[in-house]
Amino acid sequence: MPTIDEELERRSLLYSLLMPVMSQFVPGLEKGKGMYFLFIKSECKTPGGLVARPVLTSYYKSSHFKERPYDPYTNYTSPNETILCSDSYQGMYSQMLCGLCQNNEVLRVGAVFASGFIRAIRFLEKHWSLLCNDIRTGTLNSQITDPSVREAVMKILKADPELANFIEQECSRQSWQGIITRLWPNTKYVDVIVTGTMSQYIPTLDYYSNGLPLVCTMYASSECYFGVNLNPLCKPSEVSYTLIPTMAYFEFLPVHKNNDTTNSVPISKSLSEKEQQELVDLADVKLGQDYELVVTTYAGLYRYRVGDVLRVAGFKNSAPQFNFICRKNVVLSIDSDKTDEVELQNAVKNAVSHLIPFDAHLIEYTSYADTTTIPGHYVLYWELSVNGSTPVPPSVLEDCCLTIEESLNSVYRQGRVSDKSIGALEIKIVEAGTFDKLMDYAISLGASINQYKTPRCVKFAPIVELLNFRVVSCYFSPKCPKWTPGHKQWINID
Ligand code: AMP
């Protein structure tokens, strides 16, 4: 995604709008701190010598973030050094430690996406005993080797046996319900994005936070930042974003509801002549209508389809406000990964070649983003027909899992390898006839027999249950797929 220096200023402007909005609804936030789990990712160089890195890494490494003047609204428990640490374990450990040490000062907690925040809770579940030890003694354990992180943490860490005992007592209770409000008792809300695919994490967040408000403050992308939520305490299902018109030139392509293209063929990022004629300006969108967002950015994208579908939910004065409806084509997502139907299809196609020697064939498949495990993982339900006399050995099905992972995009593989934000992919073999049962079920709900197509991803709980009930065996990817930063074709270029 091309970007330019001045874009950082524009993005900082959008960030600067968030707390003034928030403090209209939650007073007193300037009296304490935010505990946010923020991370950088690795970067690489393009063949032309430009830096390529995720947008948030650019922002955290910029002077806009690092040298921000003191402001009670951007006062975080995590020192910059812990956010800028390139080792994700050390970054997470040190941010959690600093958050625990300042537990009574914390008024809000969060991460960018819901998945990241849940990962932090999971980290605490695994490592609380080590963390308590450091708090009890006021020393930082030797696993934290980054000198700048050590120095920054030691400015905050003081021996506090009473706090260590308190944390130990809370974490060793059988139930972790309400752990956020127990350990950080002054927390007023959880600041994470739970709109779009992240809504799958709402029940888990409600459990850990005892139903604190889940606040989605902004809507943004690598291409450009879009807008803010002017009513941040509303329910997640009612969140709407007001686009900030100076972020880019926004146009809208009407989505015709009767030709459901949301999950069909891949869309090109550019518009046809006819589509260009259909575009509507920000000032002309109609209440209740769905649109695909099209941006022309300062960095050079021209009439570029972001891939998101938005619905006009209302107006603030004359400014339209949009519900995030979905991302076109995305079927699976756990963290920042977005896998579309075509990618999934190709990955499955590559994997089934392992079945040929056993005269086994894939009859049907579907997929599910299983977020009941932490981290979540992709599950594929496979119905096989085995004609050969030898059954398919488990190791071959494990190879199928790995081949699918190897075939998925770099963001997915980075999540598996570097961020550990995605768990090993699983194939669940279902008994013969399962997909017929799935069709019967869809038809019983009113689907047309003529037009029925096996969904390539399932979300509806009764369908997931129907599939799980017929699982005969499960296989996991035995190791992580390969991943290096940047595009494959850049690897050998210095
Ligand atoms: P990326 O460019 O990888 O950062 O992804 C940007 C995409 O993430 C957007 O185009 C949306 O599909 C999704 N996204 C970002 N912010 C939100 C939000 N607040 N609610 C729902 N989806 C979001």
Side-chain angles (χ1 to χ4, degrees), residues 206-251:
D206 281 342
Y207 177 81
Y208 286 133
S209 71
N210 253 350
L212 280 177
L214 302 176
V215 170
C216 299
T217 54
M218 65 185 279
Y219 167 44
S221 75
S222 309
E223 293 87 341
C224 81
Y225 282 18
F226 306 124
V228 296
N229 176 1
L230 294 179
N231 186 16
L233 292 187
C234 69
K235 285 197 251 158
S237 56
E238 285 164 13
V239 170
S240 67
Y241 298 101
T242 307
L243 301 195
I244 305 297
T246 49
M247 289 293 129
Y249 193 86
F250 295 117
E251 291 177 286

Side-chain angles (χ1 to χ4, degrees), residues 287-440:
L287 186 66
Q289 167 75 46
D290 287 0
Y291 297 95
E292 220 192 294
L293 180 60
V294 174
V295 293
T296 297
T297 68
Y298 291 89
L301 296 174
Y302 174 72
R303 288 193 155 170
Y304 174 99
R305 309 169 84 146
V306 174
D308 292 345
V309 177
L310 309 177
R311 178 172 302 157
V312 183
F315 295 86
K316 170 82 181 178
N317 302 325
S318 314
Q321 301 183 299
F322 297 88
N323 298 137
F324 181 92
I325 299 299
C326 63
R327 190 167 172 98
K328 274 196 145 190
N329 289 307
V330 167
V331 289
L332 289 167
S333 171
I334 295 287
D335 192 36
S336 32
D337 53 306
K338 302 172 190 71
T339 297
D340 70 31
E341 207 170 311
V342 175
E343 264 190 290
L344 184 65
Q345 173 73 29
N346 285 336
V348 169
K349 196 177 91 201
N350 294 341
V352 292
S353 59
H354 293 295
L355 303 177
I356 297 169
F358 303 92
D359 202 8
H361 304 276
L362 183 64
I363 297 182
E364 266 299 3
Y365 75 93
T366 190
S367 65
Y368 174 63
D370 184 350
T371 53
T372 55
T373 59
I374 302 173
H377 69 291
Y378 288 11
V379 174
L380 273 86
Y381 293 92
W382 277 18
E383 184 174 325
L384 298 181
S385 95
V386 185
N387 304 323
S389 47
T390 21
V392 185
S395 62
V396 170
L397 288 159
E398 286 172 3
D399 287 346
C400 290
C401 295
L402 186 60
T403 302
I404 295 176
E405 294 202 298
E406 295 284 9
S407 312
L408 294 177
N409 63 53
S410 161
V411 179
Y412 174 87
R413 286 177 286 114
Q414 180 173 20
R416 280 280 286 129
V417 177
S418 167
D419 307 342
K420 314 258 184 294
S421 56
I422 306 172
L425 183 138
E426 181 181 11
I427 291 180
K428 292 186 176 184
I429 304 293
V430 291
E431 63 191 40
T434 299
F435 280 87
D436 286 341
K437 290 271 179 328
L438 190 70
M439 180 170 82
D440 293 346

